[in-house]
Amino acid sequence: METKVVFLASKVRKLANNLIEDELKKAGLEGVVPSHGDILHVLFKHDICTMQDLAKAIDRTKATTSVLVDKLEKQGLVVREKSASDSRVTLVYLTDKAKDLEKKFFAISDKLNDKVTKGMTRADLDALEILLQKVLNNLES
């Protein structure tokens, strides 16, 4: 059966990332990219996380998470330090600079969600989420 599902999903991701990048630039957040948003979102919700928990929450490897955290650390948005109780554990938390940007990040997220869901009813969104979950389940099995 021929379908354009993967093509359309890829196009949606590309256009969503373009919108996020444009909005980040408009907000003066040069150097922050969409993949950083996942980390910042988790830390906005939890304040502090271990690297292991952060990697799990954003569904990335520890190595990839470490690279992303490095970049955020260089921009002064997060701090990484060893746990006082277990030196094998690395903790990551937001700086005051990042906390000051929280409203901008959520405004960008709201703008993306508004654009993505424009003209859709609650029933449309429910059906879309069910179908996307089925696609995800198929790919994960």
Side-chain angles (χ1 to χ4, degrees), residues 69-115:
V69 169
D70 285 344
K71 291 178 182 178
L72 289 170
E73 197 169 31
K74 287 176 185 168
Q75 293 179 40
L77 297 174
V78 300
V79 173
R80 208 184 334 206
E81 65 182 38
K82 292 290 183 189
S83 167
S85 61
D86 186 345
S87 63
R88 297 170 297 171
V89 175
T90 300
L91 302 172
V92 181
Y93 57 90
L94 296 171
T95 63
D96 289 339
K97 178 181 177 182
K99 290 176 185 175
D100 290 343
L101 300 173
E102 184 173 4
K103 286 183 182 175
K104 286 183 181 182
F105 281 98
F106 283 107
I108 292 168
S109 180
D110 289 345
K111 184 171 186 170
L112 176 62
N113 282 322
D114 289 346
K115 188 151 189 160

Side-chain angles (χ1 to χ4, degrees), residues 54-78:
L54 193 54
K56 186 176 181 179
I58 67 169
D59 195 26
R60 304 284 176 117
T61 65
K62 285 198 281 185
T64 298
T65 304
S66 185
V67 169
L68 293 169
V69 169
D70 285 344
K71 291 178 182 178
L72 289 170
E73 197 169 31
K74 287 176 185 168
Q75 293 179 40
L77 297 174
V78 300

Side-chain angles (χ1 to χ4, degrees), residues 131-141:
L131 293 172
L132 289 172
Q133 188 62 58
K134 284 183 180 183
V135 169
L136 183 60
N137 293 345
N138 289 343
L139 290 171
E140 288 178 336
S141 64

